[in-house]
Amino acid sequence: MNTTPASSTSTRTWSPDWPRDAAPQRLIERLFTVLGHRYGARLADMWRGGDPSKPDTVARHVDGVKRQWALDLADLTPAEWQRGIEALRDRPYVPTCPEFRLLCRPREHVNELLDIAIAQLHRRDSDSTDVWPDPVLFWAAQRVGGYDMRTLGRTELTKRFAVALEAVRQEGIVPPVPPKALALSAPGKATTDKVSARAMLAALLAGRPGRMRAALGSETGMDNFYGETDQ
């Protein structure tokens, strides 16, 4: 009989070498605690590894599993994490990491995000009262292009928007949504502050993969996920 404890119940130590581009370690530990409580020994059976007679090898294996999950789930938003955790209540089997990602970000969820983006683009065009719950949606819409966002058929637009969402998330930098561009000033009369200039530059580069990071530099990341930094 396997006596290896579920990975979520193993001793938790905060690793100073936790990957900087991964989800926070505390969040992964919380997730594995939920998985352990919900699925019990099946969690340990699923990720059995190392030599059972050498607990340190088992612990290293479990740590490796957690780190891989942290890397694979690094781009999820707090709302998506909550969606995935809640979805576990109706799942009888331990999910793999890709399966948990789908619980957090189901494919049909893209349609909801697309509806939000379309609505906010309309408000931006009509009276500039757009409110974007996540700047990723704005930049994904920019990547698709304003004309296509308004004219493509739903099926094709959903596919394009899903690809754009993933591309923006993979880019690694998500600048804030810039204010709507105003009418041009007369020659020699315009001044642009640094923040506005960077926002306009980001808008120009939004549809050009790989350029945004080089132009703007890295200013955001998962270090401050949930407003904290793991030590």
Side-chain angles (χ1 to χ4, degrees):
M1 177 177 178
N2 178 31
T3 59
T4 304
S7 57
S8 62
T9 61
S10 58
T11 301
R12 299 177 191 168
T13 58
W14 304 115
S15 303
D17 61 341
W18 189 259
R20 301 288 291 180
D21 56 347
Q25 187 176 6
R26 67 181 177 282
L27 193 56
I28 295 299
E29 293 291 350
R30 291 170 190 164
L31 171 60
F32 273 69
T33 294
V34 172
L35 293 174
H37 289 167
R38 191 170 300 281
Y39 300 107
R42 284 179 290 173
L43 181 65
D45 291 339
M46 185 171 181
W47 291 306
R48 185 182 305 162
D51 185 345
S53 67
K54 299 178 180 179
D56 59 323
T57 65
V58 175
R60 284 198 298 270
H61 173 74
V62 171
D63 182 66
V65 170
K66 291 180 178 180
R67 286 169 184 261
Q68 188 60 56
W69 276 57
L71 290 168
D72 292 343
L73 303 177
D75 62 327
L76 296 179
T77 66
E80 288 171 335
W81 274 98
Q82 187 63 31
R83 184 192 299 267
I85 293 294
E86 292 176 354
L88 291 173
R89 291 179 299 184
D90 299 317
R91 184 179 180 85
Y93 304 107
V94 185
T96 63
C97 187
E99 288 170 341
F100 182 71
R101 276 186 65 88
L102 282 176
L103 294 178
C104 296
R105 189 182 290 166
R107 291 188 177 95
E108 59 268 23
H109 183 46
V110 173
N111 279 297
E112 299 174 21
L113 300 179
L114 177 58
D115 287 338
I116 293 172
I118 291 173
Q120 296 313 312
L121 283 177
H122 176 72
R123 295 180 65 177
R124 190 176 184 86
D125 289 341
S126 60
D127 54 14
S128 299
T129 59
D130 51 310
V131 178
W132 299 83
D134 186 339
V136 168
L137 303 183
F138 173 82
W139 295 113
Q142 295 302 304
R143 191 175 289 259
V144 172
Y147 179 79
D148 286 346
M149 285 289 294
R150 295 167 179 81
T151 60
L152 284 178
R154 184 72 183 198
T155 300
E156 179 62 23
L157 180 56
T158 301
K159 293 178 181 178
R160 290 271 302 277
F161 191 70
V163 171
L165 280 173
E166 190 64 23
V168 172
R169 290 179 176 124
Q170 290 296 323
E171 190 75 23
I173 298 176
V174 184
V177 176
K180 184 178 179 181
L182 301 177
L184 294 175
S185 302
K189 300 296 184 180
T191 58
T192 304
D193 61 87
K194 183 178 180 180
V195 173
S196 297
R198 290 177 65 81
M200 287 187 286
L201 175 59
L204 290 172
L205 296 173
R208 305 175 68 180
R211 297 297 183 86
M212 194 180 295
R213 181 181 296 276
L216 300 180
S218 179
E219 296 181 348
T220 60
M222 291 300 294
D223 302 348
N224 296 321
F225 196 77
Y226 284 164
E228 301 176 317
T229 300
D230 282 323
Q231 301 295 333

Short mmCIF file of all heavy atoms in Angstrom, two decimals, residues 124 128 130 138 178-184 200 203:
data_model
loop_
_atom_site.label_atom_id
_atom_site.label_comp_id
_atom_site.label_asym_id
_atom_site.label_seq_id
_atom_site.Cartn_x
_atom_site.Cartn_y
_atom_site.Cartn_z
N ARG A 124 -16.02 53.18 -26.01
CA ARG A 124 -14.84 54.01 -26.28
C ARG A 124 -15.08 54.90 -27.50
O ARG A 124 -14.69 56.07 -27.53
CB ARG A 124 -13.62 53.11 -26.49
CG ARG A 124 -12.27 53.84 -26.55
CD ARG A 124 -11.16 52.81 -26.67
NE ARG A 124 -9.84 53.41 -26.64
CZ ARG A 124 -9.15 53.69 -25.55
NH1 ARG A 124 -9.68 53.45 -24.37
NH2 ARG A 124 -7.95 54.23 -25.61
N SER A 128 -16.36 57.60 -24.87
CA SER A 128 -15.11 57.44 -24.08
C SER A 128 -15.37 57.06 -22.63
O SER A 128 -14.61 57.43 -21.74
CB SER A 128 -14.27 58.72 -24.13
OG SER A 128 -13.90 59.02 -25.46
N ASP A 130 -15.46 53.88 -21.68
CA ASP A 130 -15.08 52.48 -21.60
C ASP A 130 -14.36 52.18 -20.29
O ASP A 130 -13.56 52.96 -19.79
CB ASP A 130 -14.19 52.09 -22.79
CG ASP A 130 -13.02 53.04 -22.98
OD1 ASP A 130 -13.25 54.27 -23.00
OD2 ASP A 130 -11.87 52.55 -23.10
N PHE A 138 -8.18 44.80 -23.72
CA PHE A 138 -7.98 45.95 -24.61
C PHE A 138 -6.88 45.66 -25.62
O PHE A 138 -7.05 45.88 -26.83
CB PHE A 138 -7.63 47.19 -23.80
CG PHE A 138 -7.24 48.38 -24.64
CD1 PHE A 138 -8.21 49.18 -25.22
CD2 PHE A 138 -5.91 48.67 -24.87
CE1 PHE A 138 -7.86 50.26 -26.01
CE2 PHE A 138 -5.53 49.76 -25.65
CZ PHE A 138 -6.52 50.55 -26.23
N PRO A 178 -4.58 52.97 -22.37
CA PRO A 178 -4.34 54.41 -22.54
C PRO A 178 -5.65 55.15 -22.77
O PRO A 178 -6.63 54.56 -23.20
CB PRO A 178 -3.46 54.47 -23.80
CG PRO A 178 -3.89 53.27 -24.59
CD PRO A 178 -4.19 52.20 -23.57
N PRO A 179 -5.66 56.44 -22.46
CA PRO A 179 -6.87 57.21 -22.76
C PRO A 179 -7.07 57.30 -24.26
O PRO A 179 -6.11 57.18 -25.03
CB PRO A 179 -6.55 58.59 -22.15
CG PRO A 179 -5.06 58.65 -22.13
CD PRO A 179 -4.60 57.25 -21.86
N LYS A 180 -8.31 57.48 -24.65
CA LYS A 180 -8.60 57.60 -26.08
C LYS A 180 -7.87 58.81 -26.65
O LYS A 180 -7.84 59.88 -26.05
CB LYS A 180 -10.10 57.74 -26.30
CG LYS A 180 -10.50 57.79 -27.77
CD LYS A 180 -12.00 57.88 -27.94
CE LYS A 180 -12.40 57.95 -29.41
NZ LYS A 180 -13.86 58.06 -29.58
N ALA A 181 -7.25 58.63 -27.82
CA ALA A 181 -6.50 59.71 -28.44
C ALA A 181 -7.41 60.89 -28.74
O ALA A 181 -8.52 60.74 -29.25
CB ALA A 181 -5.84 59.22 -29.73
N LEU A 182 -6.93 62.10 -28.41
CA LEU A 182 -7.69 63.31 -28.68
C LEU A 182 -7.32 63.87 -30.04
O LEU A 182 -6.38 63.41 -30.69
CB LEU A 182 -7.39 64.36 -27.59
CG LEU A 182 -7.72 63.91 -26.15
CD1 LEU A 182 -7.30 65.00 -25.17
CD2 LEU A 182 -9.19 63.59 -26.01
N ALA A 183 -8.04 64.89 -30.48
CA ALA A 183 -7.74 65.53 -31.75
C ALA A 183 -6.34 66.13 -31.70
O ALA A 183 -5.87 66.58 -30.65
CB ALA A 183 -8.77 66.61 -32.03
N LEU A 184 -5.66 66.13 -32.83
CA LEU A 184 -4.30 66.66 -32.89
C LEU A 184 -4.28 68.16 -32.63
O LEU A 184 -5.16 68.91 -33.09
CB LEU A 184 -3.69 66.36 -34.26
CG LEU A 184 -3.44 64.89 -34.58
CD1 LEU A 184 -2.94 64.77 -36.02
CD2 LEU A 184 -2.46 64.28 -33.61
N MET A 200 0.99 55.74 -25.63
CA MET A 200 0.79 55.80 -27.07
C MET A 200 1.76 54.87 -27.80
O MET A 200 1.40 54.22 -28.78
CB MET A 200 0.97 57.25 -27.55
CG MET A 200 -0.20 58.16 -27.17
SD MET A 200 -0.10 59.81 -27.90
CE MET A 200 1.19 60.53 -26.89
N ALA A 203 0.45 51.42 -27.58
CA ALA A 203 -0.65 51.19 -28.51
C ALA A 203 -0.14 50.93 -29.91
O ALA A 203 -0.65 50.07 -30.63
CB ALA A 203 -1.57 52.42 -28.52
#
